[in-house]
Amino acid sequence: MFLSTDHVQGIISNLNHHFVVAAVVTGFFLLLTIVFLTKVLTTPLIQMKKATEKLSKGDFSVHFPKMGNDELSELSQSITILANDLKHLKEERSEFLASISHELRTPLTYIKGYADIAKRKNIADKDRDHYLEIIFEESEKLSDMITDLFNLAKIDRNTFVINRVNVQLCNYLHTLYEKVLPAFKEKKIELELNCRENINVRIDPMRFEQLLLNLLNNALKYSEPYTKTSLSVKKEKGKVRIMITDEGSGISMEDLPFIFERFYRTEKSRSRDSGGSGLGLSIVKELIEAHGGNIEVASEPGKGSTFTLIFKEMTE
């Protein structure tokens, strides 16, 4: 009890000194780690904040360096994809508006020009009737185009209602065949219907007729007299395939990937009589997808085209 404690006190003092040094070193490294982690985490977030501000102002030139495989990297990739999608949509919108302006201007120019001529008093009645016929034709084209645009707008807003009912396909196609046959006969094009199986489908008869008429009208428009167009039906593994094959002018390999885009036309320069708005195939694609199916096309310039509609057979 009476021994000196100086030695013990020295050990305790040394330990206290070591603890203080360890605490200072630990605090320094902890502060350094916090600064480092803060910089690593906040710098990408600040970059993403600036990127979203650029997007909100319509500047889609956003690019992030590769950050690894963590959640921040996934977020940066999502923002980059969003920027690219918005840029593509902006370009499509500009192109779409330019196409609409051009397509509407053309028939309006014809209508205005021929109306000015038709109202002159010194022209023959035969010429006036001819000009009025042209005005009527261009008005019909304008009306059809506005209807197509209205339908596409309804599809984009998901307000395009598909009222499906059970339909016996061959009977349905035979009725459609009888409806379009006179137009093919007038142009001296043979129209053939091949549908002998008992196939039941669930479709919207009005909308489905619309897409089939679009395809048949294309075959009629781009086929020469004394050629053949066939409308065939096959059933494969629960799928129904409707094929419309013509012997027309065909589509080049360069144009095939784009023919379902709005206002895309394979012929960049068309006459007034044979020209179209470039909306028909876009509507066909939207309508068949609304029925839960899809469309394929095979074509060769100078030999014709085959459009194939693929969708499910009704099994109930």
Side-chain angles (χ1 to χ4, degrees):
M1 290 178 60
F2 299 101
L3 291 176
S4 173
T5 60
D6 293 341
H7 179 66
V8 176
Q9 292 293 335
I11 294 173
I12 294 173
S13 178
N14 286 335
L15 287 174
N16 288 335
H17 175 72
H18 290 318
F19 283 140
V20 170
V21 172
V24 171
V25 173
T26 302
F28 174 75
F29 279 109
L30 181 61
L31 182 63
L32 192 64
T33 302
I34 291 172
V35 171
F36 174 75
L37 289 176
T38 302
K39 185 174 179 59
V40 168
L41 292 174
T42 58
T43 299
L45 291 174
I46 292 171
Q47 291 177 344
M48 292 177 197
K49 178 178 178 293
K50 291 180 179 178
T52 54
E53 289 174 350
K54 288 173 67 176
L55 291 178
S56 67
K57 295 175 182 177
D59 183 358
F60 306 118
S61 57
V62 173
H63 177 72
F64 295 103
K66 188 168 179 60
M67 299 179 182
N69 298 315
D70 55 9
E71 288 80 2
L72 283 176
S73 176
E74 292 178 1
L75 181 58
S76 68
Q77 290 175 12
S78 298
I79 294 175
T80 302
I81 293 171
L82 175 63
N84 292 333
D85 289 345
L86 289 173
K87 182 180 179 181
H88 179 68
L89 286 173
K90 183 180 180 181
E91 292 171 352
E92 275 200 339
R93 183 185 64 180
S94 300
E95 187 177 340
F96 184 70
L97 291 174
S99 298
I100 289 177
S101 300
H102 172 74
E103 295 297 338
L104 293 178
R105 189 185 301 119
T106 302
L108 286 173
T109 300
Y110 279 113
I111 291 170
K112 183 178 182 300
Y114 284 108
D116 288 341
I117 297 173
K119 71 180 182 180
R120 295 175 186 173
K121 296 180 179 180
N122 59 344
I123 64 171
D125 290 341
K126 181 180 178 181
D127 291 335
R128 181 178 283 108
D129 290 341
H130 175 64
Y131 298 145
L132 291 175
E133 182 65 26
I134 293 174
I135 292 172
F136 176 77
E137 289 175 1
E138 295 301 325
S139 300
E140 286 288 303
K141 289 182 181 179
L142 194 59
S143 177
D144 291 342
M145 189 187 307
I146 292 172
T147 301
D148 287 343
L149 288 169
F150 179 69
N151 287 335
L152 285 171
K154 288 174 69 177
I155 292 172
D156 288 342
R157 294 197 307 267
N158 294 322
T159 58
F160 199 80
V161 180
I162 299 293
N163 298 313
R164 299 191 194 185
V165 296
N166 300 339
V167 172
Q168 211 291 324
L169 187 58
C170 288
N171 292 338
Y172 174 82
L173 292 179
H174 185 75
T175 302
L176 180 65
Y177 169 83
E178 295 292 338
K179 182 182 293 188
V180 299
L181 185 59
F184 280 83
K185 283 185 175 179
E186 184 179 352
K187 197 174 176 181
K188 297 181 174 59
I189 298 174
E190 180 185 352
L191 181 62
E192 181 180 72
L193 173 62
N194 297 312
C195 185
R196 298 179 180 85
E197 297 185 67
N198 183 24
I199 300 174
N200 294 303
V201 292
R202 190 169 177 80
I203 59 174
D204 183 326
M206 184 180 71
R207 300 301 183 192
F208 210 78
E209 178 178 314
Q210 183 182 355
L211 72 89
L212 288 173
L213 286 177
N214 262 317
L215 295 174
L216 288 169
N217 285 336
N218 274 354
L220 180 64
K221 186 185 299 182
Y222 299 114
S223 296
E224 295 297 325
Y226 307 107
T227 57
K228 184 171 79 170
T229 297
S230 64
L231 178 59
S232 306
V233 178
K234 286 200 307 185
K235 185 168 60 173
E236 294 179 353
K237 299 177 181 178
K239 298 280 188 179
V240 177
R241 303 171 72 91
I242 299 178
M243 292 160 289
I244 297 175
T245 304
D246 63 60
E247 298 174 352
S249 55
I251 305 168
S252 68
M253 292 295 293
E254 293 79 12
D255 289 319
L256 273 178
F258 310 105
I259 60 172
F260 296 108
E261 292 184 3
R262 299 175 185 184
F263 286 110
Y264 188 85
R265 296 186 298 189
T266 57
E267 296 177 37
K268 304 301 182 286
S269 176
R270 288 182 175 173
S271 69
R272 182 178 62 83
D273 293 328
S274 64
S277 66
L279 293 172
L281 289 179
S282 176
I283 292 176
V284 167
K285 183 174 184 292
E286 298 281 1
L287 286 175
I288 190 62
E289 288 179 351
H291 281 82
N294 63 291
I295 184 169
E296 297 176 353
V297 58
S299 185
E300 189 174 345
K303 293 187 177 180
S305 307
T306 298
F307 287 86
T308 305
L309 305 171
I310 307 169
F311 53 100
K312 291 182 179 179
E313 181 186 10
M314 191 183 73
T315 56
E316 295 179 1

